[in-house]
Amino acid sequence: MHQHDHHSCVARVMSYAEELSQEPDFRLTPVRRRVLEILLEEHRAMGAYDILKRLKAEGMKSQPPVAYRALEFLQEHGFVHKIERLNAFVACMHPEEDHAAAFMICRKCRAVAETHGPKKISVLEETAAAIGFAVENVFVELQGLCPECRAEK
């Protein structure tokens, strides 16, 4: 959606994943690695079945549980976010940082730009904590048109 060096951000995220793969609780299997690469390459929200098609075309295991398990693992370790509105997944561009992400989603091309969530989220979390509610996940999703799709109008 915006200009950036896509190759360097992909390389940075993959380098971080490779670094973590040295840890005993982070096993980056070939399928998990490829799912992460696919999401990084696409730079848009993808459903599990879209990912499965790519895996199958590349000769990898392509049963639904394979993709869902890989996505669940990557999400659990902060490498993938689920875009609830689209029931789809996108690679996290900042997996090394603990953050509440906010997503700008193009309703036309499904491009997704990730940014850090607004500071007001912490106010909501504080309010929730005051009444004993433990926030586990926060999702901020903005829908609209990316610059490329706006230019097509």
Side-chain angles (χ1 to χ4, degrees), residues 32-49:
R32 290 171 178 168
R33 176 181 283 110
R34 189 61 193 132
V35 168
L36 179 57
E37 289 169 344
I38 289 168
L39 288 170
L40 286 165
E41 289 166 5
E42 289 296 321
H43 222 339
R44 65 180 176 90
M46 294 182 73
Y49 283 92

Side-chain angles (χ1 to χ4, degrees), residues 5-21 26 28 33 36-37 39-41 43 74 77-80 90-97 114:
D5 183 355
H6 185 65
H7 294 293
S8 71
C9 70
V10 168
R12 181 181 46 76
V13 172
M14 288 308 300
S15 175
Y16 182 63
E18 293 295 340
E19 182 182 316
L20 279 185
S21 71
F26 189 85
L28 193 60
R33 176 181 283 110
L36 179 57
E37 289 169 344
L39 288 170
L40 286 165
E41 289 166 5
H43 222 339
L74 292 168
H77 287 87
F79 284 89
V80 169
V90 65
C92 177
M93 302 319 297
H94 309 283
E96 68 283 2
E97 300 174 16
E114 176 184 351

Side-chain angles (χ1 to χ4, degrees), residues 10-148:
V10 168
R12 181 181 46 76
V13 172
M14 288 308 300
S15 175
Y16 182 63
E18 293 295 340
E19 182 182 316
L20 279 185
S21 71
Q22 304 306 309
E23 300 293 322
D25 65 334
F26 189 85
R27 191 163 161 256
L28 193 60
T29 64
V31 171
R32 290 171 178 168
R33 176 181 283 110
R34 189 61 193 132
V35 168
L36 179 57
E37 289 169 344
I38 289 168
L39 288 170
L40 286 165
E41 289 166 5
E42 289 296 321
H43 222 339
R44 65 180 176 90
M46 294 182 73
Y49 283 92
D50 296 325
I51 295 167
L52 279 172
K53 286 179 195 174
R54 290 276 303 269
L55 293 175
K56 184 175 182 177
E58 296 173 12
M60 298 185 91
K61 292 181 181 178
S62 59
Q63 298 81 13
V66 170
Y68 283 110
R69 279 195 293 262
L71 288 164
E72 182 179 301
F73 175 87
L74 292 168
Q75 189 176 7
E76 180 180 310
H77 287 87
F79 284 89
V80 169
H81 295 292
K82 184 172 184 185
I83 306 295
E84 298 294 330
R85 177 165 181 72
L86 301 174
N87 192 26
F89 300 87
V90 65
C92 177
M93 302 319 297
H94 309 283
E96 68 283 2
E97 300 174 16
D98 183 23
H99 64 286
F103 303 99
M104 292 166 276
I105 307 162
C106 180
R107 65 176 166 77
K108 188 172 180 185
C109 71
R110 293 174 58 120
V112 176
E114 176 184 351
T115 188
H116 291 287
K119 297 206 183 306
K120 291 187 180 189
I121 289 174
S122 63
V123 172
L124 292 173
E125 291 172 326
E126 289 170 12
T127 302
I131 63 167
F133 186 83
V135 176
E136 294 177 347
N137 292 303
V138 175
F139 303 102
V140 177
E141 300 176 2
L142 300 112
Q143 185 176 356
L145 291 172
C146 69
E148 290 81 13

